[in-house]
Each structure stands twice: as structure tokens, then as C-alpha cells.
Amino acid sequence: GGGGGGGVAATAESWLAASLYASMVVETLNELLFEAGRASYWMSLAPAGSGFVLSLGGYTDKVQHFLEHVVMPGVVMRGVGASWDARLFDVVKRRAREGLENEGVADAYKQARRWLNELLVVPSFTVPAQLAALATLSLARVQELAAATQPPPRPCHHRRRRQRRPAARR
């Protein structure tokens, strides 16, 4: 199979490059995201048909601040155009390969979830096609393909959580 159109979903190579790119950006933000998670905020970055989807969550009154002062500066500074360590690329690429290799032995519900995800969100490149594309991907190629998605990812949506209210006094 294969995702039609263009952008990151055009080929198995571009899809995997975008996935590796998103994983590397999130990995470089781990320290910031850990602290944000302790304050009940989260972020995910994933490839989508023509670019990336940046999803955020947390308390409604502070999500905009989280986006403007933590997420976007971090994504821009450590994402597009950043110089990444080749070791980080190797780790992220190995995790991706292991995930693909383990597809056939995954629990039935995980296989069903992946199948549903492929139907609704991601292009359906076969596992062998993805493994072949992954084997040839280099850090330079990932950065090249990611740079073609300029400008940096914009937020698509966020889940809202109500602000905690103090307990009523009696």
C-alpha cells in the first residue's frame, strides 16, 4: 500500500523519516516534557498526511502558555535545523526497527489498534516496505525531508481539562 498525495505520507521513506524526526524532537524535549508532565501537561508530535500534528493537553487556563513558552520554543530550537547527535538518531532508528519487527508478534488488540490507526490516520505501507526504507535512511536524509515541511509544526488541537477548584468550605 501507500499513502497518496504528497508530503510526509507520499512514500514509506518520507513517512518513516517524518516519524523518526518527530521521535527525535520529542526525545530532545524529554527533560522539559517530564517537568510539564508533573504539572499535568503533555505534548505529542506525530507525522500526518502533509506535515505534523502537534497535540497538547493540560489545564485549559495554562495550555496557551505551555504552547507559547515551552513547546514551540523547544520544537523550533531542537527541531527543524537543529544539529542532532548521530547516537540519538541511531537509538530512535533502532526503536523504530524493533517496533516494526515486533508487529507480527504483537497482541491481537495491538494489531487491531494499529490496523484501525492505519485506516484512519497513517498511510498503510507494509511492514517489509517500511523496514526496507528504514534500512537506508540516514540522519542527513531525515533532516532533509523534515526541512521540506517548513514552517515548523503548528498546533492542531488540544484536549482541555478543567481547572481544579478548591474544595468548598463548610
Side-chain angles (χ1 to χ4, degrees), residues 21-22 24-33 43 45 54 65-82 84 152-153:
Y21 170 80
M24 290 176 70
V25 170
V26 171
E27 190 70 31
T28 63
L29 293 173
N30 260 347
E31 192 173 314
L32 291 172
L33 295 177
M43 177 207 105
L45 181 64
L54 175 62
H65 178 83
F66 176 56
L67 170 67
E68 292 174 358
H69 299 283
V70 177
V71 174
M72 290 311 291
V75 169
V76 171
M77 183 174 66
R78 296 179 178 145
V80 176
W84 284 316

Side-chain angles (χ1 to χ4, degrees), residues 19-131:
S19 296
L20 293 176
Y21 170 80
S23 294
M24 290 176 70
V25 170
V26 171
E27 190 70 31
T28 63
L29 293 173
N30 260 347
E31 192 173 314
L32 291 172
L33 295 177
F34 176 78
E35 291 300 322
R38 292 178 62 191
S40 298
Y41 293 96
W42 60 267
M43 177 207 105
S44 69
L45 181 64
S50 61
F52 294 90
V53 173
L54 175 62
S55 299
L56 304 171
Y59 296 106
T60 304
D61 64 329
K62 300 287 188 214
V63 168
Q64 190 68 34
H65 178 83
F66 176 56
L67 170 67
E68 292 174 358
H69 299 283
V70 177
V71 174
M72 290 311 291
V75 169
V76 171
M77 183 174 66
R78 296 179 178 145
V80 176
S83 59
W84 284 316
D85 187 302
R87 289 175 294 181
L88 172 61
F89 175 74
D90 291 340
V91 167
V92 169
K93 186 175 176 179
R94 179 182 46 79
R95 286 183 196 153
R97 186 187 71 247
E98 289 170 354
L100 288 168
E101 290 171 346
N102 290 331
E103 279 299 313
V105 295
D107 294 330
Y109 78 92
K110 288 180 182 176
Q111 290 183 18
R113 189 184 78 201
R114 179 182 162 92
W115 176 77
L116 184 60
N117 194 40
E118 286 179 352
L119 283 175
L120 300 175
V121 181
V122 301
S124 55
F125 301 107
T126 65
V127 170
Q130 290 181 70
L131 284 168

Side-chain angles (χ1 to χ4, degrees), residues 132-153:
L134 186 62
T136 63
L137 273 176
S138 66
L139 176 56
R141 182 69 175 140
V142 168
Q143 288 176 311
E144 176 187 324
L145 289 169
T149 65
Q150 295 281 349

